[in-house]
Amino acid sequence: MDFALNEEQLELQEMVRDFVEKEITPYAAEMDRNNQSMPGLLEKAADMGLLNVIVPEEYGGPGLDSVTVAVIYEELGKGCAGVATSMAANSLASYPILIAGTEEQKQAHCDLLNDGKLAAFALTEPGAGSDAGGVATSAVKNKEAGTYTLNGTKAFITNGGIADTYLVFANTRKSGGIRGLTAFIVPKGTPGFTVGKKEDKMGIRPSNTCELILQDVVIPEANRVGREGEGFRIAMNTLDSARPFVGAVSVGLAQAALDCAVKYAKERKQFGQPIASFQMIQSMIADMAMKVETARLMVLKACWMRDQGLEFSKEAAMAKCYAADVAMQVTTDAVQVMGGYGYSREYPVEKMMRDAKIMQIYEGTNQIQRLVIANKILY
């Protein structure tokens, strides 16, 4: 058992930390106000190799293990959870292809990511969130033409308005249900495929989140990922792989809030002394620090188990659920420690608190995570 990062991981951590401190943190408030990332930021991230972190070496990527990817996402989460979400969406949209795609699909998709392009994972719909079997987007096969025609609407899609390629889940059975759920690659600009409204969100505002509309979108059969009806398994395996990274972003967000609270507690004076000297504040800081450290260890364990080829579905759900809850608790406590200043947009913790809420919602709500955990324990 070794808790030390190796030399390569430490170098990457320092590199990303430096990038965050220069390119993300100073502009986080402005991006939050403007509801978009800074112009050129994602291009700079691509130049840093932050958009293709899960691409294997055989497809031209860095071939990083899950622990290293988690270290990177934690640093990004410290700077801005919204920016980190946009970058992490590339990983989420890539796993279905890496899990079940053909060699041609894997190479083509990885080439896009290596070129700094963005991807989007399109599963959620207005009427289908936690219940993936409720996906109503249809995929009708034309055997003679060797094509599928897709019709439907997707909701709350990260990178929806700015991606170059989309991993879309649709149902190939008229009766619907999980047995017909199937994954498809839909390139940007495909006729009939349009971007709908952009969401005006409470948090992670620099992350582009849009509705997608598919009206008689015709794609070749070669764009189907896996077999018909295999989409549910692909989606669940994808979420298992990606959930620890949501946990990593949550840890980074919580750590940043804790750092702000500690700095403020040392500087703020009341009754003639820094509030850090008050036992009530010390108790809050200690609890916050314990939660952050516990969440970090849970994330790293889930990632390590994945890297070892072990069954890690339960641990992935635990890591995501606990770290997301910790992010919400610690950011809320950071606002409390800072009092009125914490509630003001002059300080970053109110943004962090708003950003933290989504961690308990996306990529499987924390209620769904608890069901996953319970099912793994009980059955």
Side-chain angles (χ1 to χ4, degrees):
M1 184 177 294
D2 187 353
F3 292 99
L5 298 179
N6 62 40
E7 186 175 342
E8 180 184 1
Q9 289 168 331
L10 289 171
E11 288 177 358
L12 279 171
Q13 183 184 51
E14 186 61 32
M15 179 189 75
V16 177
R17 185 173 295 165
D18 184 63
F19 176 78
V20 168
E21 290 176 353
K22 290 179 179 178
E23 302 291 348
I24 298 179
T25 303
Y27 307 104
E30 183 178 350
M31 290 188 287
D32 182 64
R33 288 192 300 270
N34 294 339
N35 198 23
Q36 62 183 15
S37 62
M38 296 297 291
L41 174 58
L42 293 175
E43 288 78 5
K44 292 177 182 178
D47 291 340
M48 288 281 293
L50 297 176
L51 300 186
N52 68 336
V53 293
I54 68 160
V55 175
E57 282 186 313
E58 59 263 38
Y59 299 110
L64 302 178
D65 59 90
S66 299
V67 170
T68 303
V69 174
V71 169
I72 290 171
Y73 283 143
E74 179 178 338
E75 293 302 320
L76 292 171
K78 290 177 184 177
C80 177
V83 173
T85 295
S86 289
M87 297 183 190
N90 265 15
S91 298
L92 180 65
S94 301
Y95 278 124
I97 297 170
L98 294 176
I99 289 169
T102 64
E103 282 302 307
E104 291 78 12
Q105 289 172 344
K106 291 176 182 178
Q107 189 64 65
H109 181 80
C110 290
D111 284 347
L112 283 174
L113 266 58
N114 291 336
D115 287 341
K117 306 298 184 183
L118 292 171
F121 179 86
L123 175 63
T124 303
E125 297 183 358
S130 297
D131 178 16
V135 165
T137 295
S138 63
V140 178
K141 187 174 183 179
N142 184 327
K143 292 184 179 180
E144 293 183 0
T147 61
Y148 285 90
T149 300
L150 277 57
N151 281 282
T153 302
K154 296 294 180 178
F156 310 122
I157 306 304
T158 300
N159 292 346
I162 57 176
D164 286 275
T165 185
Y166 298 78
L167 200 292
V168 177
F169 288 85
N171 214 301
T172 53
R173 288 163 60 102
K174 291 183 179 179
S175 58
I178 62 174
R179 290 187 178 182
L181 198 64
T182 307
F184 298 92
I185 299 169
V186 181
K188 175 184 178 181
T190 303
F193 183 48
T194 57
V195 177
K197 68 172 181 177
K198 180 181 177 182
E199 298 295 339
D200 189 12
K201 308 185 298 294
M202 177 172 76
I204 60 165
R205 291 171 58 79
S207 173
N208 178 279
T209 308
C210 291
E211 174 187 61
L212 302 176
I213 301 167
L214 299 97
Q215 293 182 315
D216 295 327
V217 175
V218 179
I219 58 171
E221 187 176 349
N223 283 29
R224 188 187 70 212
V225 180
R227 300 186 301 273
E228 283 192 11
E230 199 177 11
F232 185 76
R233 180 190 69 82
I234 293 170
M236 294 304 103
N237 287 346
T238 292
L239 292 171
D240 279 347
S241 296
R243 279 169 179 161
F245 301 147
V246 177
V249 174
S250 299
V251 170
L253 176 58
Q255 183 66 61
L258 173 59
D259 292 343
C260 286
V262 169
K263 183 176 184 295
Y264 180 86
K266 290 179 177 180
E267 295 173 351
R268 173 69 168 173
K269 290 186 177 181
Q270 290 290 277
F271 307 102
Q273 55 188 315
I275 64 171
S277 65
F278 302 147
Q279 288 184 338
M280 292 293 282
I281 297 296
Q282 292 175 359
S283 177
M284 291 180 70
I285 295 292
D287 284 342
M288 292 160 73
M290 286 190 289
K291 290 171 183 174
V292 172
E293 187 62 18
T294 305
R296 179 178 291 114
L297 292 172
M298 292 182 73
V299 167
L300 293 176
K301 180 183 178 182
C303 290
W304 177 84
M305 290 181 70
R306 182 179 188 276
D307 290 338
Q308 300 303 309
L310 302 173
E311 168 58 41
F312 71 106
S313 180
K314 172 168 63 72
E315 286 75 15
M318 286 180 168
K320 189 273 184 187
C321 186
Y322 185 78
D325 283 348
V326 163
M328 194 71 249
Q329 294 162 5
V330 170
T331 55
T332 301
D333 285 346
V335 170
Q336 188 71 21
V337 169
M338 297 176 67
Y341 290 104
Y343 201 67
S344 168
R345 292 198 172 182
E346 181 182 351
Y347 288 81
V349 291
E350 66 85 26
K351 172 189 177 296
M352 294 175 185
M353 182 177 172
R354 287 186 285 110
D355 286 348
K357 187 59 200 174
I358 194 62
M359 303 297 162
Q360 297 177 307
I361 298 172
Y362 67 4
E363 294 192 35
T365 67
N366 277 14
Q367 285 69 36
I368 290 294
Q369 305 307 316
R370 286 173 167 85
L371 290 179
V372 171
I373 295 164
N375 284 336
K376 290 294 181 181
I377 294 172
L378 296 172
Y379 303 108

